[in-house]
Amino acid sequence: MAGKGFTVKKDWDNPIAHAMPAEARVPAELRIGPESNGVQVAPATVLAPMVGVTDTVFRRFIRNASLFSANSPEDSSVEEEVTNRQSGCGLLMTEFTSADGLARMRESKRKRYLTFYDDEHPIGAQLFGSNSETLADAARIVEDTGFDTVDLNLGCPAKRVVGCNGGSGLLRDLPKIGEIFREVRKAVSIPFTVKFRLGWNDSQIVCVELAKMAEQEGLCAVALHARTREQGYTGQARWEWIAAVKQAVHIPVIGNGDIRTPEDAAAMVAQTGCDAVMIGRAAPSNPWIFRQIAEYTATGSYTRPTEADRYRMIRTYFQMLLDEAEASQNLPRDARHGETAGKMKQFASWFTHGVAGGSKLRQQIFMSKTGSAVLEAVDQFFDARLNDANIGETPSELELTSVGAFPEEALSCGD
């Protein structure tokens, strides 16, 4: 979790507007790990772990917002079953989870932290910690639970995580990282990956050395957030270091940092040669970004959401939260979900990005006391706008598919 001074920002510092490169595209697929037990990521896009964001409901919401097929509706070969392979988001990641916490939990409670659904495959679980044996034990739990990959977090800049020598705190101790790599690699057979930053600060850039060590210790891929721990989420991501890592290793390199649009994603591939892109902050503010990337890769153009699309998007996610809470009332008391208004308010500042008059809508949402009141405020705001514009019945090219209510939500913490 981001600590004081490192809160995950919902905007970017002087974002660079990239033009779509003439040739480069986000790859249509990426394989992580060997043919025998590797994971096919198609397309080569990854949802980054984010604290309080990438829980079960949000992952499935993004999955459905990202559904894309280049096939015509008449093409009978299109699968009827919805899977992540049909999604513009090729690999979903959980919020990062404390290895120490997993080791201390009862098995029944672990399920609350490592819950996922069959239609989320491929999906990876991200762990943080500093004890190699504990991390190895946690990785075994991840594999036994059925995750497709296990990932080590070396990127979180939060003080409470760094203070325990976890997250980006380990970037100051490469020998310890090497020890962790070896123990976790021996513990699991599923693909093992790592996400890290450039280094602790500008005088301690270790990303190239770390990537080489990961390859030597048998890791299957690396993901680089091209900022230092000292930067937190400010300033520009320095993509040149992603290029340097790509040139230094032969395993897949996933680039992360300052991807807000399909143009940004393609520009990163063009400038760095990375094998895949990982998207974090842009996903809550533009849930269609994965679909747009896949659509552009397949067709050369992509659809931009209308205001009616944005209304449906906000309403769909909020309704999913309400349905999830209602369904959980049949579970044991400690597994039930409370009032959803807080979660809705948390996402309001993400989802209303780009909405004309969004500040007024946010004010109405923040004044609401219950989840149903939040949903009513959203309906009233958009009904008035869409009726005034006479576009309330405009068909949506990006209309989301509702996925209904689910019995349990993942409750892990993440970067």
Side-chain angles (χ1 to χ4, degrees), residues 88-198:
C89 180
L91 176 64
L92 299 171
M93 298 288 289
T94 66
E95 299 178 279
F96 79 161
T97 302
S98 166
D100 291 329
L102 285 180
R104 293 193 299 266
M105 289 175 194
R106 298 187 307 274
E107 184 176 353
S108 59
K109 190 174 182 181
R110 287 173 184 166
K111 294 179 180 179
R112 298 180 60 193
Y113 286 81
L114 294 177
T115 295
F116 66 91
Y117 294 86
D118 288 342
D119 60 6
E120 293 187 75
H121 289 291
I123 182 169
Q126 189 181 76
L127 303 172
F128 77 94
S130 59
N131 183 283
S132 58
E133 293 182 0
T134 303
L135 279 161
D137 289 340
R140 291 187 190 96
I141 293 171
V142 165
E143 181 172 38
D144 292 344
T145 304
F147 283 90
D148 299 292
T149 70
V150 59
D151 187 73
L152 174 66
N153 179 287
L154 299 179
C156 180
K159 290 181 179 179
R160 70 177 183 88
V161 174
V162 170
C164 299
N165 205 30
S168 58
L170 278 170
L171 296 175
R172 299 168 294 182
D173 191 349
L174 290 184
K176 169 59 90 172
I177 292 175
E179 177 187 332
I180 292 171
F181 283 170
R182 286 187 290 275
E183 290 300 316
V184 174
R185 181 66 287 176
K186 288 188 299 184
V188 297
S189 60
I190 59 174
F192 174 30
T193 62
V194 60
K195 182 187 177 188
F196 53 96
R197 286 176 175 250
L198 301 181

Side-chain angles (χ1 to χ4, degrees), residues 212-259:
K212 289 180 178 179
M213 183 168 61
E215 182 175 40
Q216 292 168 358
E217 297 296 344
L219 274 71
C220 301
V222 298
L224 175 60
H225 179 178
R227 289 182 171 88
T228 65
R229 188 269 175 179
E230 190 174 69
Q231 278 185 273
Y233 298 92
T234 64
Q236 301 293 325
R238 289 174 275 181
W239 291 359
E240 65 271 17
W241 284 107
I242 300 175
V245 167
K246 176 60 183 173
Q247 292 172 6
V249 298
H250 296 94
I251 57 176
V253 174
I254 303 168
N256 175 230
D258 290 353
I259 296 178

Side-chain angles (χ1 to χ4, degrees), residues 69-78:
S69 173
N71 298 309
S72 65
E74 294 79 16
D75 189 342
S76 60
S77 67
V78 177

Side-chain angles (χ1 to χ4, degrees), residues 57 71 82 122 160 162 173 265 273 279 294 360 369 388 390 413:
V57 176
N71 298 309
V82 175
R160 70 177 183 88
V162 170
D173 191 349
I279 296 170
K360 181 179 179 181
K369 303 297 184 183
D388 289 345
N390 196 30
C413 59

